[in-house]
Amino acid sequence: MASKKRKDSPEEEEEEEGKRSCSAAFPDEFLKSILEFVKSHKDRNSVSLVCKVWYEAERLNRTSVFIGNCYSVSPELVVKRFPNIRNVTLKGKPRFSDFNLVPPNWGADIHPWLVAFASAYPSLEELRLKRMTVTDESLEFLAHSFLKFKAISLVSCDGFSTEGIASITTYCRNLTELDIQENSIDDLGGSWLSYFPKNFTSLEVLNFANLQSEVSFDALESLVARCKSLKVLKVNKDITLEQLKSLLVLAPQLMELGTGTFSQELTTEQYAELENVFNNCKNFYALSGLWEATSHFLPALYPACTSLTFLNLSVANLQSVELAKLLEHCPNLRRLWVLDTVEDKGLEAVGSSCPLLEELRVFPADPSDLDVMTNAAVATVVQNCPDFTVFRLCIMNPGQPDYTTNEPMDEAFGSVVRTCTKLTRLSVSGLLTDLAFENIGKYAKNLQFLSMAFVGSSDRGMQHLMAGCPKLRKLEIRDCPFGDAALLSGMERYESMRSLWMSGCSVTMDGCRRLAKEMPKLNVEVIKEEESDDETQAEKYVRISDQMQCTKSRSSP
């Protein structure tokens, strides 16, 4: 007697019907063709959640993966799910590691990932790392393991030296990008640049701006001359104006330039030649460097500034008048990084000259210089630039008020969030009371990332943030008067956020235990002060991330 066929549950029948509908509406080959045009990680995530058929198609079709937290997923899980990856972006330590606020040997080692990739992705072409620990041995392993390797970007990484870079330049024969930014690197000399093969011609991006050692200019000049597709060149401060002029003559096709030292004794004829070279550089969209730039040499740049969308002056000690004159020649600027040497008058010039500006970052030149910024200056710039998506103002002196009125900087940041409705990233500093955070919580509807240090009056500051900011994903807090009440006020929000980092606050172990108990899906990490026996105080650091959410998003990046 034949056995009875098991009757599917309504849920199983609905799932099977969904599979048939997906397959009927989009045949495999058609779906594959569509996915090749879907580049956004967010869109890819959405596609993978439609149904199992689309999940499988997206999994097999994906060639690029972004992992925002190297501990949110294992390399084994990544290679199991995505068998055809060619490009990997991987982030490690929290941003506060830039300020030495993360203990030594915290982790974020790239080597286990490289070992897993070597067997699963022998055709890996691109690797972009941020705040990862990278050793010379790892770089040598990479250079020998991936024969088709083309691009490496190391941003704020540590643990390696220029010998590791030499392995890349020696053995990666198809290299198109070598990008070394703001790393804690052991600079053993500039010989690494001379290891590119003599017949090497494929380089498109070269950035060694943060290296200190002098490189062989003959080797650099020869490399630039051979690489006709070079689009990005950022040199270190040892490259002189005269040498820069020679490089620009060889590479007029450059689209992004990082200059060396922008000050040198030049004859009238040499200066005219420099002006002529910049006059022929019509493709620049980004400019950085300008170490030791002076008002005498800046006019030579003016002809090349017309198309600029990004101007990075974070190492250029320009005064407000110099900045104002330069900005008059940058009508299309979208991003601007400056030092606080430009003062409030410089910000007013930004407001009047840069109506298209979307990002402004103001970095401290000298933490001991107290007279830096005013509420009025910030209000002026945002009134004239309402399309900001990123605003970062670093006032290094804790509790620094408006230096003209001695009032808190509440109104400055209140103006930012009330006026700039597209704002997604914000860093605040200076003397701020809970009123500032009430404004941020109320008006910053699109804010995704917020960083704060030495600000706030009480727990209510953080409570205002947790009650507002509906799109907040990352929150970094350093040395603020926030305790357990503040921490627990965001309990229902943390699962929808990528991470929370608190350092030097007043959170206790009891508060962390309660959070971990009531929200078991969260990963709550507590790092105490070395040799501390205080069981009540939780910090030095508290880091919270929604491990399930992160794992979900990272395994379907």
Side-chain angles (χ1 to χ4, degrees):
M1 185 174 178
S3 60
K4 263 189 174 181
K5 184 178 179 181
R6 183 179 67 87
K7 187 175 181 179
D8 290 340
S9 68
E11 291 81 6
E12 291 173 322
E13 289 180 357
E14 185 177 345
E15 183 177 330
E16 288 301 318
E17 179 62 28
K19 288 183 183 179
R20 289 192 293 270
S21 297
C22 285
S23 299
F26 294 98
D28 290 348
E29 290 303 315
F30 185 54
L31 181 57
K32 179 180 178 182
S33 298
I34 292 175
L35 287 175
E36 289 177 356
F37 294 96
V38 181
K39 306 299 182 183
S40 164
H41 294 298
K42 279 188 176 180
D43 291 342
R44 282 275 184 172
N45 289 346
S46 298
V47 166
S48 69
L49 296 174
V50 171
C51 64
K52 288 188 176 180
V53 173
W54 284 33
Y55 174 94
E56 189 68 13
E58 196 281 328
R59 177 180 85 86
L60 297 175
N61 178 265
R62 181 177 291 231
T63 59
S64 177
V65 64
F66 170 84
I67 303 167
N69 177 354
C70 67
Y71 285 110
S72 66
V73 63
S74 69
E76 291 76 19
L77 184 57
V78 173
V79 301
K80 181 180 179 181
R81 176 167 179 183
F82 303 116
N84 298 309
I85 294 298
R86 297 289 180 271
N87 311 321
V88 175
T89 299
L90 186 59
K91 294 184 178 182
K93 302 171 187 176
R95 195 178 69 90
F96 279 167
S97 64
D98 295 347
F99 308 102
N100 298 317
L101 292 175
V102 174
N105 304 315
W106 185 85
D109 186 3
I110 187 56
H111 203 78
W113 291 86
L114 292 178
V115 172
F117 292 163
S119 58
Y121 308 141
S123 297
L124 186 73
E125 296 178 356
E126 298 183 12
L127 183 63
R128 304 182 187 283
L129 306 178
K130 190 169 186 178
R131 300 189 184 97
M132 297 290 292
T133 294
V134 182
T135 65
D136 289 343
E137 290 73 20
S138 293
L139 292 175
E140 184 176 7
F141 179 82
L142 183 154
H144 287 289
S145 300
F146 306 102
L147 300 181
K148 297 181 180 180
F149 193 74
K150 293 182 178 179
I152 184 167
S153 175
L154 303 174
V155 181
S156 301
C157 295
D158 60 25
F160 66 102
S161 73
T162 45
E163 289 186 358
I165 300 301
S167 296
I168 300 296
T169 58
T170 301
Y171 299 110
C172 296
R173 301 303 176 93
N174 301 305
L175 200 66
T176 61
E177 179 176 347
L178 177 58
D179 186 11
I180 311 167
Q181 296 185 46
E182 302 174 6
N183 298 282
S184 178
I185 182 173
D186 189 5
D187 194 340
L188 303 178
S191 60
W192 59 271
L193 187 64
S194 304
Y195 293 158
F196 281 106
K198 297 301 181 184
N199 60 347
F200 178 82
T201 61
S202 60
L203 204 61
E204 298 175 12
V205 176
L206 177 61
N207 178 5
F208 61 96
N210 80 307
L211 297 186
Q212 301 300 318
S213 293
E214 182 178 354
V215 298
S216 166
F217 182 72
D218 289 342
L220 177 60
E221 189 175 36
S222 176
L223 180 65
V224 171
R226 296 196 309 270
C227 297
K228 302 300 183 182
S229 297
L230 191 67
K231 296 293 189 296
V232 177
L233 177 62
K234 297 182 180 181
V235 300
N236 66 7
K237 65 186 302 182
D238 286 310
I239 300 301
T240 66
L241 270 175
E242 187 70 9
Q243 291 172 330
L244 182 67
K245 182 194 72 176
S246 299
L247 296 175
L248 292 177
V249 169
L250 294 171
Q253 76 281 0
L254 286 177
M255 302 179 71
E256 184 170 353
L257 175 67
T259 78
T261 298
F262 212 75
S263 177
Q264 183 184 349
E265 291 291 333
L266 297 180
T267 65
T268 302
E269 182 179 353
Q270 288 174 322
Y271 185 84
E273 291 174 352
L274 183 67
E275 280 187 310
N276 185 57
V277 167
F278 276 113
N279 194 47
N280 292 328
C281 296
K282 303 298 186 182
N283 301 316
F284 285 166
Y285 66 83
L287 181 65
S288 60
L290 304 178
W291 278 280
E292 301 176 19
T294 65
S295 57
H296 176 67
F297 291 99
L298 285 175
L301 282 174
Y302 294 166
C305 293
T306 305
S307 300
L308 286 183
T309 59
F310 179 31
L311 181 58
N312 181 352
L313 302 172
S314 60
V315 295
N317 284 277
L318 300 189
Q319 304 302 309
S320 57
V321 174
E322 296 167 331
L323 178 66
K325 291 182 179 179
L326 179 58
L327 293 182
E328 289 176 0
H329 301 271
C330 306
N332 296 300
L333 213 58
R334 262 72 170 180
R335 301 173 63 201
L336 175 63
W337 295 6
V338 295
L339 292 175
D340 58 13
T341 54
V342 303
E343 300 182 318
D344 52 347
K345 291 187 181 298
L347 285 193
E348 292 171 2
V350 171
S352 60
S353 301
C354 306
L356 303 178
L357 204 63
E358 298 174 0
E359 176 180 335
L360 175 64
R361 303 192 184 195
V362 183
F363 300 95
D366 182 1
S368 64
D369 185 1
L370 304 185
D371 295 346
V372 286
M373 215 57 65
T374 66
N375 284 299
V378 175
T380 298
V381 73
V382 297
Q383 287 296 331
N384 288 285
C385 305
D387 291 330
F388 276 137
T389 59
V390 179
F391 190 91
R392 181 179 180 182
L393 177 59
C394 297
I395 301 175
M396 292 300 289
N397 186 53
Q400 175 66 34
D402 180 321
Y403 76 91
T404 60
T405 66
N406 212 37
E407 293 292 320
M409 294 292 290
D410 294 340
E411 183 55 34
F413 291 101
S415 298
V416 172
V417 295
R418 285 194 299 267
T419 307
C420 305
T421 57
K422 300 176 184 177
L423 198 71
T424 60
R425 297 176 68 90
L426 177 64
S427 295
V428 301
S429 54
L431 179 60
L432 296 180
T433 71
D434 292 340
L435 177 61
F437 301 105
E438 182 178 356
N439 284 324
I440 294 172
K442 183 176 181 180
Y443 295 106
K445 302 298 184 183
N446 292 304
L447 193 66
Q448 298 179 23
F449 171 83
L450 176 62
S451 176
M452 62 182 79
F454 301 99
V455 293
S457 309
S458 68
D459 285 336
R460 291 188 62 80
M462 185 171 173
Q463 288 168 347
H464 286 310
L465 297 176
M466 294 295 98
C469 301
K471 296 185 179 180
L472 193 64
R473 299 184 66 216
K474 293 181 68 177
L475 178 58
E476 297 180 347
I477 304 171
R478 174 188 173 190
D479 292 287
C480 296
F482 302 149
D484 291 347
L487 173 68
L488 298 175
S489 69
M491 195 178 300
E492 303 301 323
R493 295 286 307 277
Y494 297 143
E495 285 192 9
S496 64
M497 292 170 57
R498 179 185 291 179
S499 66
L500 164 68
W501 175 277
M502 299 180 73
S503 168
C505 299
S506 301
V507 176
T508 68
M509 286 299 298
D510 285 342
C512 294
R513 290 190 184 102
R514 180 180 169 187
L515 179 64
K517 181 179 180 181
E518 297 194 24
M519 304 296 293
K521 294 180 180 180
L522 293 178
N523 174 33
V524 182
E525 175 186 359
V526 179
I527 306 174
K528 300 183 68 174
E529 289 277 11
E530 291 183 10
E531 301 179 357
S532 172
D533 296 322
D534 189 349
E535 282 297 320
T536 62
Q537 195 70 16
E539 309 185 65
K540 202 167 179 181
Y541 311 95
V542 177
R543 179 172 179 267
I544 301 170
S545 62
D546 175 1
Q547 188 165 5
M548 290 194 67
Q549 179 69 20
C550 284
T551 301
K552 179 180 178 183
S553 64
R554 293 302 164 259
S555 58
S556 54

